[in-house]
Amino acid sequence: MTTKNKILDAAEKLFADKGFNGTSLREITSQAEVNLAAVNYHFGSKKELIKAVMSRYMNELSPRLESALITICNEEKQPTLVEVFSAFVEPLLALNQFKENGTSNFLQLLGRGYTDSQGFLRWFLTTRYPVVIDSFITAVHKAYPELSTEEMFWRLHFTMGTIVFTMSSSDALMDIAKNDFNKNIDIAGVIKQVIPYVAAGVGAPIR
Amino acid sequence: MTTKNKILDAAEKLFADKGFNGTSLREITSQAEVNLAAVNYHFGSKKELIKAVMSRYMNELSPRLESALITICNEEKQPTLVEVFSAFVEPLLALNQFKENGTSNFLQLLGRGYTDSQGFLRWFLTTRYPVVIDSFITAVHKAYPELSTEEMFWRLHFTMGTIVFTMSSSDALMDIAKNDFNKNIDIAGVIKQVIPYVAAGVGAPIR
DNA sequence: AGTCAGTTTAAACATGCGTTTAAAATACCG
DNA sequence: CGGTATTTTAAACGCATGTTTAAACTGACT
């Protein structure tokens, strides 16, 4: 286990739990049991560390997601919106084999990135992984061609909000669900719950 | 204009823009043109200031919202989900008469409160204004009785996410919409866009 | 005019932050 | 083994934060 990876692992969990702004380098390095200065030595700055944490996941996720979406785009038949959103499931859950609690951690990080840090992570992701976004939009358009570009813009952002918010507070939600309904739901369960919701939202009738 | 109100006004705008953690007391007091120590003198602490900012809006909003929802609950006919969510529109837009940009500011604050500050604001709101939440749940149940308590729980949280995320980044979204579609959309426009989305999401078929 | 509670003020305080430094330790290689 | 490059370390730096202090000011009421 290298120092660099110890830092990445500790940072990932703390960032997911408490946000980027809410986590100090001192927390990270003491959890990782490395020296404080190691972060700046290995990554240069806290901002670069954040990028490194996100990149580790994106590089794992984006090829799978990309090919799943492109497959849908190239098929003959018109997909349903549920099918489009279901394309995310396998690539997302594959992160659990890549790393323990990978799916949950990644989605929480994504949520943090959109609300912490004044949108710099949004810029980072959209400029670094544009193909994923484009093929997703194409797939949605194929499933619901009547949706205008503008309405699609809004509905996809609503969807982003649904996912991101749900995931950044998924720990709290799963706790409540356990107390109130005596059901142990995991991240895969949450994902399966949310797909019909966002598919119906995006597919809502126009006007 | 009292010192207390000058602080509340400045804090409200800054909190909405940059989050609670992202705004310092020095920014607030210099924008409000009062002394730094005035915050602690009048409010006790930053945390109490946050509560005061939120309470000013909630006390304006909650009676209207409560009565609108209770009206729906007491009507003979079964409401549609769109009608239930539309009950929020008038009370929310009324905040614009209460204060310039009131609707937008309040919704952004709400968004911040759910992601900043480790959920203490969520606790504050749910314990201080339980009637609003209860009557909302009752109204949704009346509109879609087949939805189990558990599924309702998840879908309402998804909805919360949609609203909260959209609103906390609504400035950025409205900017993009202006650039890409040459359309000047305001907060009322966003609200009207989101209602069909969340209504369809909550109303999605079960299983 | 004098008193006194309420308010405002400048200054300081303690703490925590990200980052930098320079020396010590370790690893690598001819 | 010797020397060079890499990595780790403790300490400090400069800065920003929320909060506290104690003195100065304000405006009513007797």
Side-chain angles (χ1 to χ4, degrees):
Chain A
M1 193 59 144
T2 68
T3 299
K4 222 168 160 172
N5 279 324
K6 281 197 265 183
I7 293 174
L8 282 172
D9 288 345
E12 169 186 322
K13 187 82 191 92
L14 286 166
F15 283 155
D17 281 355
K18 324 176 33 165
F20 300 114
N21 296 331
T23 304
S24 71
L25 295 184
R26 284 169 176 80
E27 287 178 271
I28 293 170
T29 52
S30 80
Q31 171 119 350
E33 294 177 305
V34 303
N35 187 274
L36 167 63
V39 170
N40 289 280
Y41 176 76
H42 286 285
F43 296 95
S45 69
K46 184 178 179 179
K47 209 166 208 170
E48 289 300 320
L49 172 62
I50 294 174
K51 287 189 195 175
V53 169
M54 291 307 292
S55 296
R56 200 164 57 146
Y57 275 110
M58 283 304 287
N59 294 335
E60 186 71 18
L61 175 74
S62 73
R64 293 173 199 266
L65 186 52
E66 220 171 286
S67 85
L69 288 169
I70 288 175
T71 300
I72 290 182
C73 291
N74 292 341
E75 271 169 356
E76 291 277 332
K77 78 168 190 69
Q78 183 187 32
T80 66
L81 282 169
V82 170
E83 283 166 351
V84 173
F85 286 109
S86 297
F88 284 79
V89 175
E90 184 272 321
L92 279 175
L93 291 182
L95 298 178
N96 275 333
Q97 281 142 292
F98 168 62
K99 208 171 169 308
E100 183 156 333
N101 287 113
T103 309
S104 167
N105 284 355
F106 170 70
L107 287 171
Q108 289 186 30
L109 287 170
L110 203 62
R112 296 300 184 177
Y114 265 75
T115 48
D116 282 17
S117 73
Q118 218 77 4
F120 111 88
L121 198 62
R122 178 174 6 197
W123 165 86
F124 174 71
L125 293 176
T126 50
T127 56
R128 270 277 284 267
Y129 306 93
V131 183
V132 177
I133 297 166
D134 283 350
S135 50
F136 176 52
I137 289 179
T138 307
V140 172
H141 180 73
K142 194 175 175 188
Y144 192 177
E146 298 84 4
L147 205 60
S148 73
T149 319
E150 190 182 348
E151 265 152 337
M152 170 126 74
F153 163 80
W154 284 106
R155 292 188 181 184
L156 291 189
H157 276 287
F158 298 155
T159 301
M160 197 71 194
T162 310
I163 305 291
V164 144
F165 170 85
T166 301
M167 296 317 167
S168 63
S169 48
S170 61
D171 286 345
L173 293 183
M174 291 190 292
D175 277 358
I176 300 174
K178 188 175 179 179
N179 281 345
D180 289 11
F181 311 112
N182 250 43
K183 263 199 191 164
N184 252 328
I185 201 161
D186 60 355
I187 199 76
V190 179
I191 291 177
K192 293 210 169 73
Q193 282 270 15
V194 83
I195 284 180
Y197 180 96
V198 294
V202 173
I206 327 176
R207 287 296 118 205
Chain B
M1 193 59 146
T2 68
T3 298
K4 222 169 160 171
N5 278 323
K6 280 197 269 186
I7 294 174
L8 282 172
D9 288 344
E12 168 185 321
K13 187 81 191 92
L14 287 165
F15 283 155
D17 282 353
K18 323 176 35 166
F20 300 115
N21 297 331
T23 304
S24 70
L25 295 185
R26 284 169 176 80
E27 287 179 272
I28 293 170
T29 52
S30 79
Q31 171 120 350
E33 295 178 304
V34 302
N35 188 274
L36 167 63
V39 170
N40 289 280
Y41 176 75
H42 284 286
F43 296 94
S45 70
K46 185 179 180 180
K47 210 166 207 171
E48 288 300 318
L49 172 62
I50 295 175
K51 287 188 193 173
V53 169
M54 291 307 291
S55 296
R56 201 164 57 146
Y57 274 110
M58 284 303 287
N59 294 337
E60 186 71 18
L61 175 75
S62 73
R64 292 174 200 266
L65 186 53
E66 221 172 285
S67 85
L69 288 169
I70 288 175
T71 300
I72 290 182
C73 291
N74 292 340
E75 270 169 358
E76 290 278 333
K77 77 171 190 69
Q78 182 187 35
T80 66
L81 282 169
V82 170
E83 283 165 351
V84 172
F85 286 110
S86 297
F88 284 79
V89 176
E90 184 272 321
L92 280 174
L93 292 182
L95 298 179
N96 276 332
Q97 281 142 291
F98 168 62
K99 210 170 167 308
E100 183 156 333
N101 287 114
T103 309
S104 166
N105 283 356
F106 170 70
L107 287 171
Q108 288 187 31
L109 287 170
L110 203 62
R112 298 299 184 177
Y114 265 76
T115 47
D116 283 15
S117 73
Q118 216 79 2
F120 110 89
L121 199 61
R122 177 174 5 194
W123 165 87
F124 174 70
L125 293 176
T126 50
T127 55
R128 269 278 282 268
Y129 305 93
V131 183
V132 176
I133 298 166
D134 284 350
S135 51
F136 177 52
I137 290 179
T138 307
V140 172
H141 180 73
K142 194 174 174 186
Y144 193 177
E146 297 84 4
L147 205 60
S148 72
T149 319
E150 189 182 349
E151 266 152 336
M152 172 127 74
F153 163 80
W154 284 106
R155 292 188 182 183
L156 291 189
H157 275 288
F158 298 157
T159 301
M160 196 72 194
T162 311
I163 305 291
V164 145
F165 170 84
T166 302
M167 294 316 165
S168 64
S169 49
S170 61
D171 286 345
L173 293 183
M174 291 190 293
D175 277 358
I176 300 173
K178 188 175 180 179
N179 282 344
D180 290 9
F181 311 113
N182 250 41
K183 263 199 191 165
N184 253 326
I185 202 163
D186 60 357
I187 198 76
V190 179
I191 292 177
K192 295 214 167 72
Q193 284 267 16
V194 83
I195 284 181
Y197 180 95
V198 295
V202 173
I206 328 177
R207 288 294 119 208

